[in-house]
């Protein structure tokens, strides 16, 4: 089975759109998402454009706040402070990466955790790790929703995650632990990665290395989630040997058209969650 991330994301966006339209009818208010974009790094421009387009389609009022590459850190911090205090702002997203003069940690820590649609604030990270209610980082959130489309009950499954970034690997591990999986994280310093992968009933790959996972690294009947986005000459590929592996496993996400669309749909879901939390 090839997991159709495009279709699943569309279903999720339609649910979000319906809910926003119902709320709007009742109280004449809609969520708002404010995206801070520093510089003109081409991939960031594309990601932000997509996020804004998709958020508008579901009825989220979205806005890009642009700064030149050499903007002072203080100016961005002041803007975040202003957005934190503004009751009309539901969600704040600072597109990464940031230029050298801006301290990413300071930026992430200043965003109000209740408006932290990326789920990167230490308070959200801690809540997720403790199994409490939190904002969930969009990519692992999307991965979990896709896994659950294939298998509803993940209890007792052996999940292996390749990559330990704050963005993907670590929150993915927390989410799968919460689902009662047995979780192994492997990374660039792990010995015998293949042996670890061969134990996986669920394998989530987020390393950013094209064709890292080979056909003989995966079990039949496993679920493979490929987070990687790698540009090769004129095409985009993931981190797994998709063509060879797709015949062998129970389910696999393609790249493109797998995790990517779900990431944006989960950003919209998070923005709606932040908005609703402020209504109560
Ligand atoms: P990162 O560079 O921060 O982390 C990569 C991780 O992979 C590290 O923990 C590293 O230890 C591990 N790693 C590197 N080489 C390895 C190897 N040979 N074997 C095992 N582990 C290895 O990257 P990231 O931000 O987590 O992103 C990972 C990939 O996911 C990238 O391709 C990125 O573009 C993609 N991505 C996709 C989406 C999406 O929506 N689909 C979102 C975010 C990131």
């Amino acid at each position: 089975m090839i997991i159709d991330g495009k279709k699943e994301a569309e279903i999720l966006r339609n649910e979000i759109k319906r809910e926003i339209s119902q709320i709007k009818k009742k109280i004449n208010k809609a969520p708002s998402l404010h995206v801070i974009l520093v510089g003109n790094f081409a991939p960031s421009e594309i990601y932000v454009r997509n996020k804004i387009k998709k958020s508008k389609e579901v009825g989220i009022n979205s806005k890009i706040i642009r700064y030149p590459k050499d903007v002072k850190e203080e100016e961005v911090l002041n803007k975040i402070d202003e957005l934190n205090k503004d009751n009309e702002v539901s969600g704040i997203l600072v597109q990464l990466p940031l230029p050298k003069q801006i301290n990413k940690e300071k930026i992430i820590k200043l965003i109000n955790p209740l408006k932290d649609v990326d789920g990167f604030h230490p308070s959200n990270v801690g809540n997720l790790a403790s199994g409490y209610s939190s904002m969930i980082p969009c990519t692992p959130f999307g991965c979990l929703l896709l896994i659950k489309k294939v298998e509803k009950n993940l209890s007792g499954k052996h999940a292996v995650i390749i990559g330990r970034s704050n963005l993907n690997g670590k929150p993915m591990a927390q989410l799968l632990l919460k689902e009662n999986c047995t979780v192994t994280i492997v990374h660039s310093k792990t010995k015998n990665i293949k042996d670890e992968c061969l134990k996986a009933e669920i394998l989530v790959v987020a390393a950013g290395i094209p064709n890292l996972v080979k056909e003989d690294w995966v079990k039949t009947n496993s679920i493979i989630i490929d987070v990687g986005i790698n540009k090769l000459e004129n095409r985009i590929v993931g981190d797994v040997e998709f063509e060879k592996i797709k015949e062998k496993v129970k389910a696999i996400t393609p790249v493109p058209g797998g995790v990517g669309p779900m990431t944006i749909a989960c950003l919209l879901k998070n923005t709606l969650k932040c908005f609703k939390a402020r209504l109560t």
Side-chain angles (χ1 to χ4, degrees):
M1 169 191 179
I2 292 170
I3 304 170
D4 189 343
K6 258 190 181 169
K7 193 187 90 191
E8 296 303 337
E10 192 184 341
I11 294 171
L12 182 54
R13 287 198 308 273
N14 283 337
E15 283 169 21
I16 295 165
K17 189 175 176 175
R18 253 195 315 276
E19 193 173 345
I20 291 176
S21 132
Q22 281 164 1
I23 296 174
K24 219 171 169 178
K25 267 187 208 145
K26 265 195 212 154
I27 59 167
N28 198 25
K29 276 187 174 178
S32 76
L33 174 65
H34 292 243
V35 180
I36 295 179
L37 177 59
V38 182
N40 48 11
F41 181 51
S44 294
E45 290 274 354
I46 297 169
Y47 292 143
V48 168
R49 205 183 311 138
N50 271 335
K51 288 170 184 176
I52 296 288
K53 180 170 173 268
K54 294 294 178 199
S55 60
K56 285 186 173 160
E57 279 173 18
V58 299
I60 293 173
N61 299 320
S62 52
K63 192 176 166 190
I64 309 183
I65 301 153
R66 284 179 179 273
Y67 290 105
K69 200 177 160 202
D70 59 355
V71 65
K72 288 212 168 70
E73 181 187 80
E74 196 190 353
E75 203 176 325
V76 181
L77 290 170
N78 286 342
K79 175 52 82 176
I80 294 173
D81 193 38
E82 182 192 316
L83 297 172
N84 279 342
K85 289 176 184 149
D86 186 341
N87 269 334
E88 298 305 310
V89 173
S90 326
I92 304 168
L93 185 158
V94 179
Q95 183 65 40
L96 301 176
L98 290 165
K100 278 199 286 292
Q101 78 277 14
I102 300 180
N103 181 329
K104 182 175 88 177
E105 187 180 331
K106 262 195 200 169
I107 296 285
I108 289 175
K109 283 183 173 168
L110 186 64
I111 295 173
N112 177 347
L114 300 173
K115 297 187 178 190
D116 173 29
V117 286
D118 263 336
F120 294 160
H121 190 283
S123 140
N124 281 315
V125 175
N127 281 332
L128 180 64
S130 305
Y132 302 150
S133 157
S134 73
M135 298 308 299
I136 302 170
C138 306
T139 303
F141 194 3
C143 293
L144 180 68
L145 296 178
L146 292 179
I147 295 166
K148 294 198 86 167
K149 287 284 165 186
V150 183
E151 195 94 45
K152 280 207 167 56
N153 182 5
L154 306 181
S155 183
K157 299 265 179 215
H158 194 137
V160 176
I161 299 158
I162 305 185
R164 57 173 162 181
S165 69
N166 291 342
L167 185 72
N168 291 310
K170 285 184 203 156
M172 189 75 244
Q174 300 298 352
L175 288 172
L176 290 169
L177 273 177
K178 221 172 164 179
E179 294 290 327
N180 297 316
C181 290
T182 302
V183 179
T184 305
I185 301 185
V186 302
H187 49 78
S188 54
K189 303 281 185 269
T190 305
K191 292 171 186 147
N192 303 324
I193 290 190
K194 177 182 168 184
D195 292 347
E196 296 300 330
C197 290
L198 277 169
K199 296 178 195 155
E201 293 171 282
I202 298 163
L203 180 64
V204 181
V205 193
I209 300 183
N211 297 324
L212 173 71
V213 175
K214 318 273 185 268
E215 189 187 357
D216 61 351
W217 287 30
V218 300
K219 275 211 282 212
T220 47
N221 240 355
S222 56
I223 301 172
I224 314 291
I225 305 293
D226 191 352
V227 180
I229 301 177
N230 307 293
K231 208 167 172 208
L232 289 187
E233 285 155 29
N234 54 358
R235 65 194 177 105
I236 302 284
V237 298
D239 288 355
V240 308
E241 283 190 332
F242 178 79
E243 285 305 324
K244 291 180 186 159
I245 292 179
K246 72 174 188 208
E247 304 299 339
K248 185 172 177 182
V249 297
K250 180 174 182 181
I252 184 168
T253 56
V255 178
V259 174
M262 282 303 279
T263 296
I264 296 191
C266 286
L267 169 68
L268 311 181
K269 194 172 166 69
N270 279 349
T271 307
L272 176 57
K273 183 177 172 176
C274 291
F275 170 70
K276 288 200 296 187
R278 303 186 74 75
L279 292 179
T280 53

